[in-house]
Amino acid sequence: MKQLSKTQVTVRLRKAEDRNEWYVYLESYPIFVPGKDEPQRGREYLNRIVQTVEWDKKRAGRTNLKSGAKTFKPRRDDNGIILCKSERDRETMLYADGIRKLRQKECDNVDLYSEGDAVKAQLQEKQKEKFIDYCNRLLKKRHGSANSSDSIRTNWRCLTEFIVEFAGEDLRFSQIDLSFADDFKLYLLSAPYRGKKKGTLSNNTAATYFSIFKAIISQAFIDGYFMVDLSAKIKGIGEQESFREHLSLEELNLLVNTPCENDELKRASLFSALTGLRHCDIKRLKWKELDVQSNRIKIQFRQKKTKGS
């Protein structure tokens, strides 16, 4: 059986420092606050004051450490309502008790929630959040370090820009479903390139952006923004085999014999062409990643872009 917190809501008074009057507030205890291990006390001031409280001389309250003056607890009737002499103050205390009853009922209802209700309530709050804000946080978390590839960060940023163009900056998690994903996929397949490049996105570029979108949706499910893993039901964009230009052996030999004013640039270019290494990987290459113990020199390192060995 689920243990109830048994939160009690009580009408309390706090003395004004320089006036003979008391502020009326509600105290709730115990309440549990996220991030706090111990139960807390909650206070809700009602924007009401009283001046004619009847004090119980038999029940001592707190003693002022500076002046030594003793205080007493207020008298209450059989229903727990604080007693006052003036009609206005009595109405104030009846009002305060009415609010107390409402807050007590709210606390009791919270205690009676099943775990499923609590999960649903949390999900509803999370689905109010902006999707773009989550994308930016996830980008920073996954690829914010210097070891991450610039091209990956660029692709993520481009994706978020396309999402904003398609659905606006105010897009909420509650608006994202399978229908939204299909519509966004069709949009990417006909979206224009950003910047100076003309024409629409290539099929493979759209596939790259959409795969990032699916990865974000998958992580959002893990983080509790969806009840089901939508990414498992979303069909991606199939990549098409692309033709990559390359130099033949005759063209490489011609390049070797072509004069170049910058000898370092020439050697680096030929090294890249003969090894297939990216420029960013050549810049990061260390001597310790070269295996020269055999007749053939081997390069053993981890690629910056794909993280593959």
Side-chain angles (χ1 to χ4, degrees):
M1 180 179 292
K2 180 182 176 183
Q3 183 177 359
L4 304 183
S5 65
K6 297 181 180 179
T7 300
Q8 294 294 320
V9 183
T10 308
V11 177
R12 303 286 189 194
L13 301 175
R14 185 173 73 84
K15 177 70 169 62
E17 292 185 4
D18 55 351
R19 299 185 302 278
N20 190 35
E21 56 190 28
W22 287 260
Y23 300 109
V24 183
Y25 69 93
L26 300 181
E27 179 185 82
S28 301
Y29 180 85
I31 59 174
F32 297 93
V33 179
K36 300 283 187 179
D37 294 331
E38 299 297 325
Q40 306 293 309
R41 294 183 185 272
R43 290 187 176 184
E44 178 186 354
Y45 283 88
L46 303 181
N47 197 27
R48 296 287 194 280
I49 60 171
V50 290
Q51 298 174 318
T52 62
V53 180
E54 295 186 17
W55 304 103
D56 189 346
K57 302 297 184 179
K58 297 180 181 179
R59 302 175 63 227
R62 296 179 180 178
T63 300
N64 190 307
L65 297 178
K66 292 183 178 180
S67 64
K70 293 184 178 180
T71 61
F72 300 93
K73 294 182 179 181
R75 291 181 58 198
R76 297 175 185 265
D77 64 14
D78 293 339
N79 294 318
I81 300 174
I82 293 176
L83 297 175
C84 295
K85 297 177 181 179
S86 73
E87 182 68 26
R88 183 182 66 85
D89 286 354
R90 285 196 290 270
E91 290 179 357
T92 297
M93 300 318 301
L94 287 172
Y95 166 81
D97 190 64
I99 301 298
R100 179 198 66 79
K101 290 178 181 178
L102 290 175
R103 297 294 182 263
Q104 186 66 63
K105 186 175 182 180
E106 291 172 359
C107 291
D108 293 342
N109 287 340
V110 168
D111 282 340
L112 293 174
Y113 272 168
S114 67
E115 291 186 7
D117 292 331
V119 170
K120 288 180 181 178
Q122 186 179 28
L123 175 65
Q124 288 176 351
E125 286 301 313
K126 284 199 167 190
Q127 288 212 324
K128 295 177 183 178
E129 293 185 24
K130 290 184 178 181
F131 183 67
I132 295 300
D133 291 345
Y134 177 81
C135 292
N136 291 331
R137 291 198 305 271
L138 191 58
L139 168 60
K140 186 175 181 180
K141 180 180 179 180
R142 287 192 176 186
H143 305 292
S145 67
N147 294 328
S148 294
S149 168
D150 290 335
S151 62
I152 293 178
R153 284 194 289 263
T154 298
N155 285 337
W156 274 64
R157 294 190 185 102
C158 287
L159 168 67
T160 56
E161 290 174 359
F162 279 119
I163 293 174
V164 170
E165 289 180 0
F166 175 70
E169 292 184 0
D170 201 45
L171 175 66
R172 309 287 169 155
F173 275 94
S174 59
Q175 298 172 259
I176 299 176
D177 53 19
L178 292 178
S179 178
F180 176 91
D182 286 337
D183 291 342
F184 182 58
K185 183 199 303 183
L186 294 175
Y187 168 78
L188 286 178
L189 289 171
S190 60
Y193 274 107
R194 305 189 61 78
K196 297 180 180 180
K197 196 171 182 179
K198 303 298 182 181
T200 58
L201 295 180
S202 69
N203 183 90
N204 288 357
T205 300
T208 298
Y209 292 156
F210 197 67
S211 66
I212 297 173
F213 172 76
K214 287 188 60 178
I216 295 172
I217 295 297
S218 178
Q219 185 62 49
F221 166 68
I222 295 173
D223 293 338
Y225 288 87
F226 297 108
M227 288 291 289
V228 296
D229 185 5
L230 291 177
S231 65
K233 299 182 179 182
I234 298 172
K235 187 176 181 181
I237 300 174
E239 292 193 7
Q240 297 175 348
E241 186 176 356
S242 58
F243 175 76
R244 295 181 180 272
E245 290 286 354
H246 64 280
L247 298 178
S248 65
L249 183 59
E250 292 77 11
E251 290 171 327
L252 279 173
N253 285 327
L254 180 61
L255 192 60
V256 169
N257 296 320
T258 301
C260 179
E261 295 180 358
N262 189 330
D263 183 62
E264 185 178 7
L265 175 62
K266 180 177 180 179
R267 288 186 288 112
S269 299
L270 292 173
F271 183 77
S272 176
L274 293 170
T275 59
L277 293 181
R278 300 180 183 89
H279 176 249
C280 61
D281 290 328
I282 294 176
K283 289 175 63 178
R284 296 170 61 249
L285 199 61
K286 303 289 193 302
W287 283 105
K288 64 181 180 180
E289 295 169 323
L290 300 181
D291 181 5
V292 295
Q293 296 180 3
S294 59
N295 293 330
R296 296 183 63 187
I297 298 177
K298 296 180 181 179
I299 303 175
Q300 297 177 326
F301 77 112
R302 187 172 297 277
Q303 299 178 79
K304 182 178 181 181
K305 180 176 180 179
T306 64
K307 305 302 180 185
S309 297

